[in-house]
Amino acid sequence: MTISLLDNLKIRYRRFRIASSLHRIDTLGALHRAWAYVHATVLPGDYYEFGVYKGNSLINSWLSHQYFRRRLERSGQLPFNRTGTVARFLARTPTFYGFDTFNGMPDNSEGEDTLAPGSFQSSIAHVTRRCAIADLRHPTVRLIPGLFAETKEQIGPHQAAIVHIDCDLYGSTVDALDAIAPRLTQGTVLLFDDYNLFRADKQRGERRALAEFIRKTGLNLEPWFAYGPAAQAFLCHQ
Ligand SMILES: C[S@@+](CC[C@H](N)C(=O)[O-])C[C@H]1O[C@@H](n2cnc3c(N)ncnc32)[C@H](O)[C@@H]1O
């Protein structure tokens, strides 16, 4: 898979328009708002994405993070000193984890053309090259290939600030939530990109997986905002 000149320019251009993303009501806007919240509340932790495909949301997330971090680091006009909570928050750059087969959708019986096994073909080399265009490189980015159920041991050691679940399928969401559960903390943002897929059917997809997860763990996930065609953001309470 090669990166076209147009794709390369698009990734570079995104950096310049990222500042105007806050009031967008799509995935880009949701990620921007999530990072605005993380910086406003100085919530330490990593970014975890389940469902990377070619890396668009991963790259946008990184650019939003960089935007808010620079604002906090560089502004000389802040009405407070950066010595305690803010200094500790800025001392560490979050790691951006991307979990995916990088080989398309796994076997599933959803019966949807858009989710057929093997669709969303990508490759880890391709995503690595696209990330590098946005200066997102190892070790800040960790791409973990394989099924979520088989890579859960590779979840990082730090708590999650933002979890982006964009894997469409019920079974995949069960596995993603199972993997990330130990890293959820008070205030973690959870973005479910396909929450209302399957016509918002409570017995299917991410909706079903999340309802079961809440029953099992007793976590309180407060609905925060809806975005995009079928997505929903939550805030975690412990
Ligand atoms: C809709 S795409 C993700 C789109 C991406 N976030 C973007 O911004 O373009 C869904 C991805 O989830 C991945 N996926 C779904 N179930 C998975 C599983 N159980 N394990 C690993 N990857 C999975 C697929 O390989 C696919 O790349």
Side-chain angles (χ1 to χ4, degrees), residues 49 51-53 56-57 100-101 104-106 120 146-148 164 166-169 172:
E49 185 164 286
V52 175
Y53 183 38
N56 280 339
S57 48
D100 203 301
T101 61
M105 281 290 192
F120 292 95
L147 289 167
F148 303 150
H164 182 207
D166 189 4
C167 56
D168 307 75
L169 308 170
S172 298

Side-chain angles (χ1 to χ4, degrees), residues 27 31 47 49-60 99-108 114-115 118-122 130 144-151 164-173 175-176 193-194:
T27 303
L31 289 166
Y47 174 80
E49 185 164 286
F50 295 88
V52 175
Y53 183 38
K54 292 184 178 173
N56 280 339
S57 48
L58 189 70
I59 292 168
N60 282 323
F99 290 80
D100 203 301
T101 61
F102 294 102
N103 195 24
M105 281 290 192
D107 278 344
N108 68 84
T114 51
L115 308 176
S119 51
F120 292 95
Q121 275 292 334
S122 181
R130 291 188 85 231
I144 318 269
L147 289 167
F148 303 150
E150 292 166 5
T151 53
H164 182 207
I165 299 197
D166 189 4
C167 56
D168 307 75
L169 308 170
Y170 163 73
S172 298
T173 309
D175 293 339
D193 207 73
D194 314 294

